[in-house]
């Protein structure tokens, strides 16, 4: 058997020559920094943001960028996943993201020389945060929903190991109380946390005819109304059972239902009638008389009318899917209807996250949960509380970006006098 031989003298010599090069930190990358006056803020978007060069930034991020610029700040935007976003405007530029390791983070900080690091997203890059804090750079977390950590038998559960990243941040500007509780549980100092509410996109309320609303409100006077919008075929049984359950509590309760596809209206009406409900169809000019307990509507143009009339609303597609015809929950939030939804968020995960975190919607897991939620919303104070929270989220978010921008500016330059 032959014995493996060690490196030759020439090999050892080559290693000695290569060692300084290996220890050398990576060269600072080229950074297209913004041109303009004011301190530079590195705004890093987490992995939950849209990726791809052509992926547009969310309207909430665009609004925050505008508010930061109004405070005299320059912003370099990077994205943790995918290429830099396509940005080209005075005072704002896109840069690559090199926060994977300590040396890479150090090199990027050398190249950029920012005055603060603003993080959006729950995937917190420890190498970058530690490199920034070592330079006494403020690190601010904003517009990020946090969840309590999972319990387990690891070192972190025993409180052993490195301190939590959250405990080292300069400021946490969080969108809701759920995130605040999670941050506290993960070691953040309460004096460094502020619940700002979420940045929400301003949406125009859906229109309606006031004369029609007033006439229907008079026709429905004294009846308990709820709305089920975009109900899929797979959800019809759950909606039927919820209405039958509600009728046992209030015999004059009325369900206004809109199918996900208007072409299913006749079949949906027949199925619900077979289940024991008394159905009237608006498309057939049938009146919602006293004996009717299901009013089937199928014109999306009238959604603003039904949201205004119904104290609570179940969002179909969220319970059993498919979610292609899902509706934006802020449609109801802006018009005072308390939203109930299932676990399938579809294309509106961010919106449901905002509402759920603020106690501005009620989530259910199955048909039994839907029936319980509909009955609970029968109490006017319950529906009013959820609707009021939703109204606050949908209308108060415009000032949140302004508050975050102020906090970033004040952290860098000191509070304005």
């Amino acid at each position: 058997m032959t014995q493996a031989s060690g490196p030759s003298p020439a090999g050892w010599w080559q290693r000695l020559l290569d060692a300084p090069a290996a220890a050398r930190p990576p060269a600072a990358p080229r950074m297209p920094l913004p041109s303009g006056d004011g301190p530079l803020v590195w705004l890093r978007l987490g992995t939950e943001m849209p990726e791809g060069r052509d992926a547009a930034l969310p309207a909430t991020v665009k609004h925050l960028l505008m508010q930061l610029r109004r405070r005299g700040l320059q912003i370099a935007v990077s994205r943790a996943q995918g290429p830099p976003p396509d940005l080209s405007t005075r005072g704002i530029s896109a840069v690559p993201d090199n926060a994977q390791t300590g040396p890479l983070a150090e090199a990027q900080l050398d190249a950029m020389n920012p005055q603060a690091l603003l993080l959006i997203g729950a995937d917190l890059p420890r190498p970058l945060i530690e490199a920034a804090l070592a330079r006494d750079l403020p690190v601010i977390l904003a517009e990020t929903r946090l969840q309590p950590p999972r319990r387990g038998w690891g070192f972190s559960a025993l409180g052993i190991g490195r301190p939590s990243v959250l405990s080292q941040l300069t400021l946490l500007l969080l969108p809701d109380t759920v995130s605040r509780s999670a941050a506290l549980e993960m070691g953040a100092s309460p004096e460094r946390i502020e619940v700002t509410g979420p940045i929400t996109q301003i949406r125009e309320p859906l229109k309606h005819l006031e004369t029609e609303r007033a006439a229907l409100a008079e026709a429905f006077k004294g009846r308990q109304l709820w709305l089920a919008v975009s109900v899929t075929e797979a959800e019809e049984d759950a909606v039927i059972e919820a209405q039958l359950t509600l009728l046992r509590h209030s015999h004059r309760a009325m369900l206004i239902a809109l199918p996900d596809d208007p072409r299913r209206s006749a079949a949906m009406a027949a199925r619900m009638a077979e289940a024991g409900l008394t159905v009237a169809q608006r498309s057939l000019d049938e009146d919602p008389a006293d004996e009717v307990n299901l009013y089937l509507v199928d014109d999306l143009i009238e959604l603003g009318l039904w949201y205004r009339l119904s104290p609570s609303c179940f969002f179909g597609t969220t319970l059993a899917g498919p979610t292609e015809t899902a509706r934006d929950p802020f449609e109801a939030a802006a018009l005072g209807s308390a939203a109930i939804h299932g676990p399938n968020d579809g294309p509106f995960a961010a919106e449901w996250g905002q509402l759920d975190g603020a106690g501005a919607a009620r989530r259910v897991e199955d048909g039994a949960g839907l029936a319980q939620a509909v009955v609970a919303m029968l109490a006017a104070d319950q529906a009013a509380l959820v609707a009021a929270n939703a109204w606050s989220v949908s209308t108060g978010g415009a000032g949140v970006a302004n508050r975050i921008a102020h906090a970033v500016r004040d952290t860098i330059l000191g509070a304005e006098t």
Side-chain angles (χ1 to χ4, degrees):
M1 179 182 294
T2 58
Q3 207 172 22
S5 60
S8 66
W12 283 111
W13 180 247
Q14 188 61 46
R15 287 190 180 187
L16 289 172
L17 290 175
D18 291 343
R24 210 176 292 134
R30 294 175 63 85
M31 293 289 166
L33 299 178
S35 59
D37 299 326
L40 177 65
V41 176
W42 179 0
L43 189 154
R44 182 182 187 271
L45 301 174
T47 55
E48 57 265 52
M49 292 295 170
E51 60 176 295
R53 187 172 296 277
D54 296 331
L57 292 178
T60 53
V61 174
K62 293 179 180 178
H63 190 47
L64 177 58
L65 290 173
M66 179 181 66
Q67 293 298 329
L68 290 167
R69 284 295 296 144
R70 287 181 176 176
R71 302 296 168 271
L73 302 173
Q74 298 184 87
I75 310 100
V77 183
S78 75
R79 191 157 44 193
Q81 188 167 286
D86 187 8
L87 290 171
S88 58
T89 185
R90 180 173 174 80
I92 304 174
S93 68
V95 298
D97 194 283
N98 294 294
Q100 298 86 357
T101 68
L104 287 172
E106 290 279 0
Q108 182 148 352
L109 289 170
D110 284 338
M112 293 176 61
N113 191 29
Q115 300 300 299
L117 178 61
L118 176 58
L119 304 174
I120 297 180
D123 56 323
L124 303 178
R126 182 183 284 270
L128 176 58
I129 292 172
E130 292 181 344
L133 292 173
R135 298 168 180 243
D136 292 327
L137 286 181
V139 181
I140 302 168
L141 178 68
E143 189 61 11
T144 298
R145 282 159 193 82
L146 301 176
Q147 295 296 325
R150 293 181 180 178
R151 296 301 183 189
W153 287 100
F155 286 123
S156 59
L158 300 174
I160 301 172
R162 290 189 293 176
S164 161
V165 170
L166 288 180
S167 69
Q168 303 176 66
L169 300 188
T170 309
L171 191 60
L172 295 88
L173 305 169
L174 302 178
D176 50 53
T177 56
V178 172
S179 297
R180 181 182 186 276
S181 298
L184 291 172
E185 194 171 343
M186 288 186 278
S189 301
E191 63 272 13
R192 297 187 179 187
I193 301 174
E194 179 181 341
V195 177
T196 62
I199 303 174
T200 54
Q201 183 181 355
I202 303 303
R203 298 165 172 84
E204 286 293 326
L206 297 181
K207 296 182 174 14
H208 76 297
L209 290 175
E210 177 55 26
T211 53
E212 185 75 0
R213 188 210 63 79
L216 283 167
E218 183 63 29
F220 292 141
K221 192 173 182 178
R223 307 193 69 174
Q224 287 75 36
L225 301 180
W226 69 289
L227 171 67
V229 60
S230 288
V231 178
T232 66
E233 187 173 3
E235 295 169 328
E236 288 178 2
D237 285 344
V239 170
I240 290 169
E241 186 56 38
Q243 176 62 358
L244 291 173
T245 301
L246 185 59
L247 287 170
R248 290 194 285 270
H249 290 79
S250 173
H251 71 280
R252 300 194 72 230
M254 168 75 83
L255 165 61
I256 301 170
L258 187 148
D260 63 328
D261 185 344
R263 292 172 297 183
R264 292 199 309 104
S265 292
M268 185 173 170
R271 184 174 181 180
M272 293 188 165
E274 289 173 5
L277 296 174
T278 304
V279 182
Q281 289 186 253
R282 185 167 175 82
S283 61
L284 301 178
D285 291 328
E286 296 174 346
D287 292 328
D290 282 350
E291 67 275 11
V292 171
N293 47 43
L294 172 68
Y295 194 33
L296 191 64
V297 301
D298 58 16
D299 190 346
L300 289 174
I301 294 176
E302 294 188 310
L303 258 181
L305 173 67
W306 308 124
Y307 285 132
R308 285 174 170 87
L309 286 168
S310 307
S312 62
C313 171
F314 164 64
F315 278 77
T317 78
T318 65
L319 197 61
T323 60
E324 284 79 7
T325 57
R327 305 295 307 184
D328 186 339
F330 277 92
E331 291 179 346
L335 294 174
S337 186
I340 305 169
H341 70 106
N344 301 323
D345 294 335
F348 298 107
E351 287 80 357
W352 284 121
Q354 290 173 342
L355 293 170
D356 288 339
R362 179 155 181 170
R363 175 178 166 137
V364 300
E365 300 300 326
D366 50 29
L370 174 61
Q372 293 172 4
V374 169
V375 172
M377 291 296 183
L378 192 64
D381 58 337
Q382 290 294 314
L385 176 61
V386 174
N389 290 341
W391 171 258
S392 296
V393 172
S394 65
T395 60
V400 174
N402 185 29
R403 170 64 198 125
I404 293 173
H406 263 299
V408 174
R409 186 260 177 210
D410 291 351
T411 300
I412 296 172
L413 300 175
E416 293 179 321
T417 57

